Structures are given as structure tokens and as C-alpha cells.
Amino acid sequence: MVEPLAIKHHSLTGRINPKLMHEAFRAVKRNKGKAGVDQVSIEMYSKHLDQNLEALMRDLKQGTYQPRPVRRAYIDKGGGKLRPLGIPTVRDRVAQEVLRRLLSPLFEPLFHPDSYGFRPGRSCHLALERALEIWRQGHRHVLDADISGFFDKIPHQTIMRGLTNVVADGNILRLVERFLSAGVMEDGVVQSTTLGTPQGGVLSPLLANIALNFLDWHLDEQGFRCVRYADDFVVLCQTERQAKEAHAAVERFLESLGLSLSAEKTRVTTFRQGFAFLGFELTSYSAKMRMKSVEKFKNRIQELTVRNHNLDARQIGKINAVVRGVARYFGTHFSTCVHQFRDLDEWLRMRLRAMRLKRKSRAANCRIKIKHLRRVGCVFLSDYLQTRPNVRSRLFLPGGNSVCGHGNPRGKPGPGLARCGKSARR
């Protein structure tokens, strides 16, 4: 496959108009988010919306816009690790959304087909399905790669090189440079940013795709099959030797971009051994929640089911939101999470009963039955499975053979689902 030819675009500033400004603000408002360093919330900004947008549009078109530093915040990654985020001001988020809407249509045709992160009509599930499709074509060996501190370490010149290949509007290029070098405020101190693009900005995912698009097409030219979602990617090969060659090729090319692979998290493996990708643990016979995802779900439920809280409608609503989010992500048509979901449902009911009775009791199952928990509004992971409890999709055997939940082949090759003779555990 040949990389699409980039066409230079010169007059993007002229496309900034009141309609685009209002569309950008509505998108920022839908995404919600907290205030930045100026402490101006979306509600405060919208009180004089027309005047604010008109002034912002004038600054963007005249090239006088100066973004504020982003406010540093952290989210828990699990295992005692924190992920740094940068929260821009509302005004900066609207400006970034304007730039994103101008740039995205130009770069979308140039991105590799196997790049799935933060692109219209694409998702994590499509990336996972693509990886499984390539596996079924005979690519059993995997380079499970992790870029060390990608969003914090990506050189600005790499991003700007990708931009200047397509964009010739100097005003737009200068605006992007200003956002990249706006700095970060933490504990009242502003730190300059000469590397990286802060996670949390509207523009950051697009800039990440622009930078890593070089890697996608380089691997394509070398004959490797790569599936990427933002900075998370896997290279699928037919032999172990090819996987090791891919490892060396990725290291060399990332070094030319000013990046490097994480030695601890990057490895050459196989589908038989399994590997983690986008929250799933993929093997040649299953696609289920990885242990880190299970622990994250349990930790969140434990926070919501403390025994000194009441199991009222408000608390049930919070618990249900977590359950639905996890179930809809992992309960896909290609996943094999049936038994995992059942075990987690049993654990969840134990937490709910202990919360209701204010103690853990062996008799709780008899005192508070499942139908009572459902009557008060509780939902469970198994309610959202897209496959029947005793059925597994024919996804995990080459040639279309299906495998039941107990690992037994059933039926003839071909599309569809197959039943397992063993009864399901309740």
C-alpha cells in the first residue's frame, strides 16, 4: 500500500467564521470538563457567549491569540501510578476545537487504514477486531509495543514536520506551535514545555496521530501489519523472526522521531501465550478482560459499596453507571467474558448485600435474593452480554470453527454461533 499524496492547503484562516466558532463551543460544552488556570467555567463563558466568541475569532484570524498554560491534574492509573493531564481554559479548548475541525478533514485521508485512535467512525472495538482478523490470516507472532512517555516526550518538531507537509497557512502553524509551548501550571508555578503535548487537550489526539502516521506508513512499507490506537499498538507477524525484525525496525524509526520503546512493557509474544491490548487479554482462544481491568472495576465498586453508606437509589445509580460502562466495553460480540462476568456479578452481589446488611453474612444470599436486588434497580454485567451465556462466537478458530465456553469445538465451519452441550453455571 502506498502512502497517499499530501496536498498543501494555504487558506485555512479564511475558513474561521461565526458558524464554526459556535459549533466548536457546542462541542466543548458537550464534553463538559473543569475550568483551567483562569477558573472560568463553561457556564461563566457562555453568559456572554457571542461577545466571547467574536473576540476569540478576531484573535485567531489576526494571529494575535495567546493560549494560557494548562492546569496540571492527575488521574489514577492503578498500581500507585498517576497519569498527568493538562486542563486548558475554556477559551483555549474552543480555539483548539476550531483548529481540530480545520485540520482533521485534511489529515483523515492521509492516515493509515489500520490507525483507529480518535478518528471518526472508528473505535477500540474495531481496532481489536482488526487485530483478530489479521491473526486469522496466519499472523500468530506479536510485537506488543509500548512507547515510553509518548505524550510527555514527543518532540514538537516531529509534530510540526507532519503539519507542514500538509498545511502552508503560517497563521495556523504558529497557533499550533503556541499551544504546544504554552506551558503547564502546577502548584502556582508555570513550567515551560519544550516536549510533549498535554493529555486532556482537544487537539492532542489529532497531533499524536499526525506524529505517529510516519510510523504507520514506515511499517507498511517494510511489509509489517500494525494495528494502532493512539500510542498503543501491536505489530502482527507470521514468524518469530519477523516479529524480532519488527521490534528492531520500530526502535530505529522511533529513535529518528525522538521517541523510544519502553523496555519493561515491550515484548515479542504469540497469540498462544496471549497479550494485553486496549484493556483486553487476547489469546488464540479468548478475548477477555485483562486482570488490570478487573482490578480497576473492583476498586471502583469497592469505593461505591462502603458499608457505612446506604444502598439508596442515588448510590445504586452510581454503581449501575460503572457496571454498564464496563459491560458495554467488554461484553462485545467477539469477547469471551461470560465466566468472568458471572464471577464478577457474584462478587458484586456480595458487596451489595454486605452494604445493605452492614455486615458480611453467609445467610445474605437467602435474606436478599437476586430478584430483590433487581427490584430496587440493580443491574449486572451479564445483562449486557452481546452473546448468549452458553455460546461463543466462531471468532477464535481459523476457518470459522466455533468454540463453546468450555473450550469444546462445536459445529461445522462457517459463520454464526454454536451451542455447547454443557450447562451453564448459574
Side-chain angles (χ1 to χ4, degrees), residues 1-6 109-113 213 216-218 220-221:
M1 185 178 294
V2 180
E3 182 177 357
L5 181 64
L110 305 177
F111 288 149
H112 195 278
N213 194 44
D216 295 337
W217 287 107
H218 176 73
D220 186 276
E221 290 171 2

Side-chain angles (χ1 to χ4, degrees), residues 11 14 34 51 69 80 88 110 120 137-138 150 162 193 200 237 244 267 298 302 311 344 353 356 389 401:
S11 56
K34 298 182 180 180
Q51 297 93 317
L110 305 177
Q137 294 171 3
F150 172 74
T193 49
C237 306
K244 291 180 178 178
R267 65 192 181 113
K298 285 189 171 184
Q302 284 173 338
L311 187 62
L344 288 173
R353 287 162 177 148
R356 186 65 177 266
N401 286 328

